[in-house]
C-alpha cells in the first residue's frame, strides 16, 4: 500500500458531503465510491450513509455530515465521474482532486435563469401532452409551466423558501386552473391540467429510490425517503385544497375526467422531445449528454408493454429496459454516468403523478378514485424498484455516479 496522502482525509470528507447531497442514487453506491477513493490513496475508510446523514471514519479521525438530498446539477455529476476516473487511474493527487471537486461544486449554473424558465415550460408542456393530448393541455401547460418557472429560480440559495415552494406552486397553479374552470374556459376536469405544471415538484425519484434502498436492505434510508416523498405529495395536495378554499369554491371542483385527445401520435412523440429538452435545461445537463434516445425509447417500451400487459407490468418492463440501456450507454470513462442518462427517462415512468392525482381526487370528494390513484402509485413504485434492480443485475453493474 502506498504512503497515505496528507490531503486524502480532507478529500474523503468533502466527497462524503457531496455524495450525501446527491444520494438519490442510493446509499450503498455512495459508500462504495468513498471506500474506493480511500483505497486509492492508501487509506481504509469506514463510511456509513443514511438518507440525510453520513459518518466517515479513517483511523482515529471521524467526521459527520448531514444534509437534504437533492437532484444535483447533471453537468456536475458528469464532471464528478471524470474526476473519479482520474483518481482511479492514479492521475491526480488527493490535493489536486480536492481542488477539482471544490471547483466543480462551485461552478456557476450551466444555464441562466431565462433558459431554466424556458426549460420548465418545455418540461411541463412535454409531459402534459402525455397526460392529455389536446391543444387545451398544451396551452394550459405552457402558461402554468411559466408560472412555476418564475417561482423556481427565486428559491436558489434560499433553502427555507425552497421547502415551501411545492406548496406555493400548488396554490398558484390550482388557483389559476380553478378560475378558468369557473369561467367555463376548459373541458373536462381541472386535475389533468394541474398535474403537468406541478410535475417538477412531484417526488417520483425519492419514493422510487426508497424502494431500491428497501430492496437492498437499507431500511432506515428507504423508509426516510418514502416518508419524504409522501410528505411532498401531501404538501402539493394541501396546496390544492388551500386554493379551493381561498377561491370559495366547493372541493368537488377538483375532479379528474379524461378528455379525448385531438393530437396525433406524432405530436405525442414530439411532446417527449420537448420534455427531454426541458430536462436538459431544468437540471443543468450538458448538451453532449442529451438523453433524447433514452427518453423516447423508454416511452415507446412503456406504451407498448402497457397496452399488452397493463400499466404495472408495462412500468416494470420499462424500468428494466431503461436501466439496462443507461448502464450500457454509461460505460467508459468519457460517457455520462447512468444517473444522468436515466433521470429524464425515469420521469417517463411517472409514479408520483398517479399519487398526486389520487390525493387531489380524494380532496375533491372522490375517495374511491383517490385510493385507487395512491394504490396505483405504490404498485408502480414497486415495479420501478424491482425493475431497476433486475436491470442492474442483468448487466452486473451498480447504479452509481462512478459507474
Amino acid at each position: 500500500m502506498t504512503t497515505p496522502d496528507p490531503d486524502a482525509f480532507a478529500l474523503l470528507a468533502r466527497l462524503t458531503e457531496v455524495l450525501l447531497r446527491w444520494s438519490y442514487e442510493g446509499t450503498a453506491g455512495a459508500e462504495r465510491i468513498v471506500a474506493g477513493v480511500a483505497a486509492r490513496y492508501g487509506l481504509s475508510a469506514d463510511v456509513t450513509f443514511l438518507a440525510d446523514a453520513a459518518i466517515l471514519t479513517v483511523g482515529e479521525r471521524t467526521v459527520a455530515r448531514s444534509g437534504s438530498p437533492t437532484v444535483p446539477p447533471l453537468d456536475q455529476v458528469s464532471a464528478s465521474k471524470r474526476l473519479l476516473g482520474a483518481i482511479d487511474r492514479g492521475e491526480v493527487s488527493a490535493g489536486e482532486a480536492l481542488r477539482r471537486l471544490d471547483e466543480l461544486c462551485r461552478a456557476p449554473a450551466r444555464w441562466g435563469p431565462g433558459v431554466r424558465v424556458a426549460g420548465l415550460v418545455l418540461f411541463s408542456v412535454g409531459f402534459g401532452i402525455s397526460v392529455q393530448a389536446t391543444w387545451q393541455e398544451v396551452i394550459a401547460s405552457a402558461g402554468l409551466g411559466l408560472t412555476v418557472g418564475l417561482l423556481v429560480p427565486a428559491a436558489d440559495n434560499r433553502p427555507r423558501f425552497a421547502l415551501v415552494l411545492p406548496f406555493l406552486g400548488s396554490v398558484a397553479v390550482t388557483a389559476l386552473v380553478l378560475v378558468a374552470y369557473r369561467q367555463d374556459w376548459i373541458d373536462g376536469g381541472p386535475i389533468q391540467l394541474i398535474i403537468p405544471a406541478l410535475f417538477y415538484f412531484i417526488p417520483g425519484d425519492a419514493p422510487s429510490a426508497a424502494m431500491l434502498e428497501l430492496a437492498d436492505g437499507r431500511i432506515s434510508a428507504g423508509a426516510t425517503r418514502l416518508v419524504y416523498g409522501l410528505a411532498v405529495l401531501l404538501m402539493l395536495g394541501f396546496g390544492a385544497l388551500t386554493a379551493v378554499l381561498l377561491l370559495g369554491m366547493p372541493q368537488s371542483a377538483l375532479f379528474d375526467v379524461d378528455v379525448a385527445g385531438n393530437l396525433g401520435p406524432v405530436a405525442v412523440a414530439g411532446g417527449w422531445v420537448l420534455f427531454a429538452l426541458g430536462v436538459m435545461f431544468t437540471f443543468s445537463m450538458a448538451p453532449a449528454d442529451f438523453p433524447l434516445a433514452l427518453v423516447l425509447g423508454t416511452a415507446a417500451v412503456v406504451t407498448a408493454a402497457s397496452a399488452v400487459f397493463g400499466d404495472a407490468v408495462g412500468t416494470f418492463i420499462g424500468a428494466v429496459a431503461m436501466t439496462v440501456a443507461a448502464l450500457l450507454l454509461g460505460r467508459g470513462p468519457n460517457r455520462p454516468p447512468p444517473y444522468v442518462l436515466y433521470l429524464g427517462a425515469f420521469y417517463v415512468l411517472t409514479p408520483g403523478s398517479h399519487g398526486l392525482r389520487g390525493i387531489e381526487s380524494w380532496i375533491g370528494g372522490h375517495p374511491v378514485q383517490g385510493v385507487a390513484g395512491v394504490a396505483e402509485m405504490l404498485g408502480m413504485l414497486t415495479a420501478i424498484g424491482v425493475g431497476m434492480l433486475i436491470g442492474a443485475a442483468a448487466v452486473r453493474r451498480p447504479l452509481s455516479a462512478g459507474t
Side-chain angles (χ1 to χ4, degrees), residues 100-117:
R100 287 175 57 178
L101 182 60
D102 285 335
E103 188 176 81
L104 76 87
C105 290
R106 290 196 304 265
R110 175 174 289 274
W111 308 109
V115 176
R116 289 178 60 199
V117 171

Side-chain angles (χ1 to χ4, degrees), residues 65-102:
R65 294 287 185 265
S66 63
S68 300
T70 62
V71 177
L74 298 184
D75 57 343
Q76 292 185 9
V77 178
S78 294
S80 73
K81 178 184 176 179
R82 293 190 291 271
L83 175 57
L84 290 170
I87 292 172
D88 190 56
R89 295 187 297 271
E91 296 175 356
V92 292
S93 67
E96 174 64 13
L98 177 60
R99 184 193 66 78
R100 287 175 57 178
L101 182 60
D102 285 335

Side-chain angles (χ1 to χ4, degrees), residues 52-368:
D52 57 354
I55 299 176
L56 168 70
T57 300
V58 180
E60 297 180 353
R61 305 179 68 181
T62 297
V63 63
R65 294 287 185 265
S66 63
S68 300
T70 62
V71 177
L74 298 184
D75 57 343
Q76 292 185 9
V77 178
S78 294
S80 73
K81 178 184 176 179
R82 293 190 291 271
L83 175 57
L84 290 170
I87 292 172
D88 190 56
R89 295 187 297 271
E91 296 175 356
V92 292
S93 67
E96 174 64 13
L98 177 60
R99 184 193 66 78
R100 287 175 57 178
L101 182 60
D102 285 335
E103 188 176 81
L104 76 87
C105 290
R106 290 196 304 265
R110 175 174 289 274
W111 308 109
V115 176
R116 289 178 60 199
V117 171
L120 282 162
V121 172
L122 294 172
F123 189 85
S124 175
V125 172
F127 178 68
I129 293 174
S130 73
V131 173
Q132 185 185 111
T134 65
W135 284 111
Q136 167 184 268
E137 185 71 66
V138 171
I139 296 169
S141 295
L144 298 171
L146 178 61
T147 301
V148 171
L150 294 174
L151 286 173
V152 169
D156 289 346
N157 301 315
R158 296 176 182 173
R160 291 186 178 180
F161 183 66
L163 289 175
V164 300
L165 191 57
F167 169 76
L168 297 177
S170 181
V171 172
V173 167
T174 304
L176 290 171
V177 174
L178 289 177
V179 168
Y181 170 73
R182 186 160 59 185
Q183 297 298 321
D184 200 25
W185 292 343
I186 64 174
D187 296 324
I191 290 179
Q192 291 195 13
L193 300 180
I194 292 170
I195 296 297
L198 298 180
F199 194 44
Y200 172 79
F201 301 118
I202 293 175
D205 50 352
S208 297
M211 299 306 297
L212 285 170
E213 299 276 28
L214 292 171
D216 199 32
R218 301 294 179 119
I219 305 302
S220 296
T224 300
R225 295 188 201 281
L226 188 59
V227 170
Y228 168 76
L230 294 175
V232 175
L233 284 177
L234 291 173
M235 186 185 300
L236 290 169
F238 183 66
L241 176 61
T242 301
V244 170
L245 296 177
L246 287 174
L247 292 173
M249 298 179 67
Q251 291 177 222
S252 59
L254 282 175
F255 63 96
D256 189 4
V257 175
D258 289 330
V259 175
N262 52 28
L263 301 177
V266 174
V268 174
W272 287 122
V273 175
L274 296 179
F275 176 79
L277 285 168
V279 170
M280 181 175 72
F281 295 138
T282 300
F283 296 108
S284 190
M285 180 183 291
D289 298 343
F290 184 50
L292 178 60
L294 200 54
V295 169
L296 291 177
T298 301
V301 169
V302 171
T303 300
S306 297
V308 177
F309 302 109
D311 288 344
V313 176
T315 299
F316 166 76
I317 294 173
V320 174
M322 173 197 75
T323 304
V324 170
L327 290 173
L328 292 177
L329 292 172
R331 284 179 169 173
N334 296 318
R335 304 299 299 275
Y339 179 76
V340 172
L341 292 170
Y342 74 63
L343 180 64
F346 179 88
Y347 274 104
V348 174
L349 304 176
T350 63
S353 66
H354 293 273
L356 183 56
R357 289 174 75 167
I359 289 171
E360 295 202 348
S361 294
W362 202 330
I363 292 172
H366 306 280
V368 174

